[in-house]
Amino acid sequence: MAGILNAAAADGAFTPRGTGLPSTRFPPLRDEIILEPAGRLRGGAPSWTLYDPTANRFYRIGWFEFEVLCRWHLGNANEIASRIAHDTTLRPTADEVEGFFRFLLNVNLLRDATPEMTARLVQRNNSGRQGWFSWLVHHYLFIRIPLVRPDRLLEWLLPRLGWLYSYQFLAVTIIAGLTGLYLALRQWDTFRASFPWFFSLEGAALAGAALVMSKLLHELGHGLTAKRYGCRVPSMGVALLVLAPVLYTDTSEAWRLRKRSQRLAIGAAGMAAECCLAAYALLLWSFLPDGVLRGVVFVWATTAWMLTVLINMSPFMRFDGYYLLSDLIDVPNLQERSFALARHRLRELLFDFGEPPPEPWSAQMRRLLLSYAFSTWLYRFFLFLGIALVVYYMFFKALGILLFAVELWWFIGRPVAREWAGWLKERRSRALNARTIVTIFIFAGILAVAVLPLRTSVHAPALLTSATQVELFSQTSARVAAIKVELGDSVTAGEPVIELASPEIAYKLELAKLRVDNLLVQIRTAAQDSSLRSEAQLLQEQLEGAKAELAAALVEHERLTVVATVPGTLLQLAEPLSAGEWVRAGEFLGMIANTSSSHIYAYVAESDVRRIEIGGAAAFIPSNLARSQVDARIVGLDQAAVESLSDAELASVHGGPIATRQGENRALIPEMSLYRVTLEPDEAAAVQHVTLGTAVIEGRPTSMAAQVWEKIFSVVVRESGF
């Protein structure tokens, strides 16, 4: 059988056998059903369109189905099959004719007033009704609200706007766009400076209004083009997509068109209209004065058409890009047919059922459809995951968590579960084969890895450093006079490391010395002159103050000499640091460490911290694999997560493995909850440099599934505020 291509509805599948359908006389088609010629199918076979005006649905049928309808008056599957075989080269069976009958019955294209048929319709209607929960899940993310019936208005506008479809208008538009681009590039700085203005409240409101106007033009382009080719446009309105308003135009009658080029033109008309608007807006921008109107045309020339192309050209959702791709490769009902082929491919790959594909395709088209189906599934996975997150953040926490779970189940988990159930149902009716056994073993291995407590160690980013470290800082703004010690040299406590010089401090010191000397001379003179003895007491008090100033100046001068406070080795000097360089107060100058002993500091994730305990064994594996492993023991475990990362070498902003961001006062804030663990090597090891690596810590066994569950549970508890 050539196959039926349902281009407008998803409920056109055949019913199963043995449903009590009449086997003698077929009921006639409904009187209002329209049968029209359609374009040729792939391979050149003719096709026809069945149009149901009541439901506004279109069904593409092939040569076999057309021949059946031509002999429908015979009313019997055997007679219809025999007559087709006699009159044509087709060789159908009665079962294939009955299958087409079941299809027509399922989509309500038949007319019969018998009690049995009426009861069947009532039963189907009742079974198709959705409960309130199912309706809410299906419709709260996408609600279509028809606002106007534009058919008569479009019919009135079409002759008055027919010039828009002329080659002359296309040529003028291209020239306008290129001219506008040339003029904008000549004043590119001014053009680019317009962007920040739209981040204000007034700019955002203006941009929103301009976008609405461009989207109205977009939908008008679809409607006018559809009307130009004789299609009826029953409605225009607003669709709420995740509660965000999106305009739409019902151009479903485009499926009646026989020429693929006409359907492509209708699908591309909206984007073409906005691109034309952008071309003229770009030209106008160079001539308009600053103000509201210039801001509007700026939005049309930039944001509006770019958003349209980025969103509408996506073929993975039922936007313009999807219908353009469907018409371009001439595969109506593209998603359902590619999905069916992909499911068949998966089943054959995993279980080797030996079933024929749902439709015969060439090798090139089969690869294209499979690539499209798998890409769409991947795209939808991340899209629905993103929608679930949006829904979660749009509502209060408890309801957000519930809707998040519902979204993940309904749009991701439920389709996977249904496909899995189909695999199992198909598997029970067939004998085991080699492919199925291999698949079972693979799935069992994945399940075992996920469920069995195979993970016994905790891996954490860590660094190996000396146990005692002292950083050297300048205590005042000064110039480096001399560096007394080289990198790697040993120093003793109190040994000078860096000498600084400050003209201001030197001046204060010399001034204090001169004042003390001057007061001493005055006091000696007063002691020898009886007329000055009355001032001796005052001079003595001034001398005490001058000595205090001298002592303070000496202390400040001594601070210019940076000394080692602990014995050790000079491991680090600030770069660049040399004689003559100026340093600020509090600036880092170097680091001295006692290299005879060492510690290892590791940062463990919150999900793993409960699996380790003090005294547990661990090992430090350096990033430089040329260095040997260091065995260690846990000697310290923080009880609270670190607020800022003290070991800057591990921060991602400095090239380390821990994701961090800079907070206030340049503090390094970890992006996830981490606990600091202190490890002590089993054997004392000399450490000349800070060494990055990974700490492998022995912990209680756990499974991947248990860790995922703990993470989910902790997030639920944290976000719900329980």
Side-chain angles (χ1 to χ4, degrees):
M1 188 172 66
I4 298 177
L5 313 181
N6 178 358
D11 58 352
F14 292 163
T15 56
R17 306 291 299 273
T19 54
L21 299 175
S23 59
T24 55
R25 298 291 301 175
F26 290 158
L29 269 69
R30 288 172 24 214
D31 294 335
E32 68 273 23
I33 300 301
I34 300 173
L35 178 64
E36 297 177 335
R40 291 189 174 274
L41 300 173
R42 296 190 63 84
S47 67
W48 290 261
T49 299
L50 276 174
Y51 174 45
D52 181 359
T54 304
N56 195 33
R57 288 180 175 176
F58 301 85
Y59 307 93
R60 183 78 63 86
I61 63 174
W63 180 26
F64 163 75
E65 292 81 15
F66 174 75
E67 295 294 343
V68 171
L69 291 179
C70 290
R71 296 160 180 79
W72 195 255
H73 61 279
L74 298 176
N76 184 274
N78 291 321
E79 293 184 19
I80 293 175
S82 300
R83 186 65 62 87
I84 292 176
H86 179 270
D87 298 340
T88 69
T89 57
L90 295 173
R91 295 296 180 265
T93 64
D95 289 340
E96 292 174 336
V97 176
E98 287 188 0
F100 183 46
F101 165 75
R102 288 192 293 272
F103 168 77
L104 297 175
L105 186 64
N106 284 339
V107 295
N108 297 326
L109 298 183
L110 300 179
R111 171 175 54 85
D112 199 334
T114 62
E116 293 80 4
M117 293 291 291
T118 302
R120 188 176 292 108
L121 289 174
V122 172
Q123 180 182 3
R124 184 184 298 115
N125 180 66
N126 292 335
S127 62
R129 289 181 179 176
Q130 294 178 324
W132 67 270
F133 179 77
S134 179
W135 185 93
L136 183 64
V137 170
H138 275 90
H139 293 86
Y140 86 99
L141 291 179
F142 186 81
I143 302 175
R144 178 175 287 191
I145 306 173
L147 297 179
V148 295
R149 298 183 180 275
D151 198 63
R152 296 181 62 182
L153 175 62
L154 294 174
E155 189 173 357
W156 180 82
L157 285 174
L158 184 60
R160 293 163 175 79
L161 299 177
W163 53 272
L164 293 173
Y165 298 93
S166 64
Y167 288 107
Q168 293 83 351
F169 175 74
L170 176 62
V172 171
T173 302
I174 293 175
I175 294 173
L178 293 176
T179 305
L181 180 61
Y182 171 75
L183 295 175
L185 289 176
R186 288 181 60 86
Q187 45 185 334
W188 178 249
D189 291 338
T190 304
F191 185 81
R192 186 178 57 183
S194 302
F195 276 100
W197 184 77
F198 289 98
F199 290 99
S200 64
L201 182 61
E202 179 185 358
L206 180 62
L211 286 174
V212 170
M213 295 174 65
S214 67
K215 298 311 170 189
L216 287 172
L217 184 65
H218 178 105
E219 300 305 325
L220 185 62
H222 284 308
L224 274 176
T225 308
K227 198 65 185 174
R228 182 169 182 258
Y229 293 121
C231 298
R232 185 172 64 94
V233 182
S235 68
M236 285 184 175
V238 176
L240 299 180
L241 183 61
V242 197
L243 302 183
V246 178
L247 299 178
Y248 80 91
T249 301
D250 186 356
T251 58
S252 56
E253 278 208 12
W255 288 107
R256 301 179 64 180
L257 300 175
R258 300 180 61 180
K259 294 183 178 180
R260 183 174 56 175
S261 59
Q262 295 176 345
R263 298 194 300 272
L264 286 170
I266 294 174
M271 290 180 287
E274 289 198 66
C275 289
C276 291
L277 177 64
Y280 290 105
L282 187 60
L283 179 63
L284 284 174
W285 181 88
S286 298
F287 298 99
L288 291 174
D290 289 336
V292 174
L293 185 57
R294 198 183 197 201
V296 169
V297 299
F298 178 82
V299 175
W300 288 342
T302 55
T303 311
W305 75 272
M306 290 180 183
L307 287 176
T308 295
V309 171
L310 288 175
I311 296 175
N312 283 275
M313 282 301 292
S314 172
F316 304 119
M317 297 296 290
R318 291 182 181 270
F319 297 139
D320 294 345
Y322 167 76
Y323 296 105
L324 287 174
L325 178 62
S326 177
D327 286 323
L328 189 63
I329 63 176
D330 197 18
V331 180
N333 207 26
L334 172 61
Q335 284 191 351
E336 283 74 13
R337 299 170 73 185
S338 63
F339 290 172
L341 183 63
R343 287 193 295 267
H344 170 268
R345 177 62 177 165
L346 276 178
R347 293 179 180 181
E348 293 302 311
L349 181 65
L350 295 176
F351 304 108
D352 192 18
F353 289 147
E355 293 183 345
E359 295 181 66
W361 299 101
S362 65
Q364 181 180 3
M365 181 56 64
R366 185 167 58 251
R367 287 193 296 269
L368 176 62
L369 294 179
L370 289 174
S371 300
Y372 173 79
F374 291 126
S375 300
T376 302
W377 286 345
L378 184 64
Y379 173 84
R380 287 189 173 186
F381 172 80
F382 289 106
L383 174 67
F384 290 136
L385 184 62
I387 290 176
L389 291 173
V390 170
V391 169
Y392 167 73
Y393 284 109
M394 285 179 60
F395 300 96
F396 60 89
K397 294 299 184 182
L399 181 59
I401 292 175
L402 175 62
L403 294 179
F404 180 84
V406 169
E407 285 295 310
L408 290 182
W409 163 250
W410 195 266
F411 292 107
I412 298 177
R414 184 169 173 265
V416 173
R418 292 177 63 180
E419 182 64 18
W420 184 267
W423 291 353
L424 294 179
K425 182 178 179 181
E426 187 75 19
R427 179 65 267 154
R428 295 191 190 99
S429 61
R430 299 177 182 271
L432 285 176
N433 54 29
R435 185 76 58 81
T436 301
I437 294 175
V438 171
T439 300
I440 291 175
F441 273 105
I442 292 175
F443 276 105
I446 295 174
L447 184 62
V449 170
V451 175
L452 295 179
L454 302 177
R455 188 181 178 194
T456 59
S457 60
V458 175
H459 291 67
L463 58 82
L464 172 65
T465 183
S466 57
T468 304
Q469 292 182 346
V470 176
E471 295 181 339
L472 306 177
F473 296 91
S474 61
Q475 300 187 42
T476 184
S477 298
R479 178 176 54 84
V480 177
I483 301 176
K484 298 292 189 179
V485 182
E486 298 291 336
L487 279 175
D489 290 350
S490 298
V491 296
T492 59
E495 181 179 348
V497 178
I498 301 172
E499 287 188 357
L500 304 176
S502 171
E504 181 181 358
I505 294 176
Y507 173 76
K508 288 181 180 180
L509 180 60
E510 290 300 323
L511 185 63
K513 288 180 178 179
L514 288 174
R515 187 178 180 190
V516 169
D517 292 342
N518 186 36
L519 287 171
L520 287 173
V521 171
Q522 292 182 32
I523 290 173
R524 285 196 297 269
T525 302
Q528 297 174 0
D529 190 346
S530 59
S531 62
L532 298 176
R533 289 176 182 174
S534 59
E535 298 179 3
Q537 183 66 31
L538 178 60
L539 292 173
Q540 190 65 37
E541 292 177 359
Q542 291 179 356
L543 179 61
E544 295 299 327
K547 287 182 177 180
E549 291 179 2
L550 177 59
L554 287 171
V555 171
E556 196 169 359
H557 184 268
E558 291 175 356
R559 292 166 60 186
L560 293 175
T561 302
V562 180
V563 300
T565 58
V566 296
T569 303
L570 182 64
L571 291 184
Q572 189 175 356
L573 275 176
E575 291 288 344
L577 188 67
S578 59
E581 295 287 340
W582 282 85
V583 295
R584 299 185 302 273
E587 185 172 341
F588 173 78
L589 300 179
M591 183 178 66
I592 295 175
N594 184 354
T595 59
S596 61
S597 61
S598 59
H599 276 317
I600 301 168
Y601 298 105
Y603 290 86
V604 177
E606 183 179 17
S607 58
D608 292 324
V609 73
R610 291 186 295 273
R611 298 175 49 215
I612 62 178
E613 58 186 10
I614 294 179
F620 176 79
I621 302 175
S623 300
N624 183 2
L625 299 180
R627 303 192 61 178
S628 59
Q629 171 182 314
V630 178
D631 295 329
R633 292 276 174 184
I634 301 176
V635 296
L637 177 59
D638 289 357
Q639 298 301 312
V642 296
E643 296 182 358
S644 62
L645 192 64
S646 58
D647 298 307
E649 295 86 352
L650 294 173
S652 59
V653 295
H654 296 152
I658 298 179
T660 55
R661 67 180 187 276
Q662 284 195 340
E664 296 181 358
N665 300 322
R666 304 183 70 179
L668 301 173
I669 311 299
E671 294 289 355
M672 59 182 298
S673 296
L674 296 174
Y675 290 76
R676 185 175 181 178
V677 179
T678 304
L679 309 174
E680 182 176 323
D682 292 342
E683 297 181 1
V687 179
Q688 296 296 329
H689 302 283
V690 173
T691 304
L692 299 182
T694 301
V696 181
I697 307 172
E698 292 298 324
R700 289 187 293 273
T702 187
S703 65
M704 294 176 58
Q707 287 187 299
V708 171
W709 170 249
E710 289 179 3
K711 184 65 175 178
I712 294 174
F713 183 74
S714 64
V715 170
V716 171
V717 171
R718 183 184 71 238
E719 296 297 331
S720 60
F722 295 156

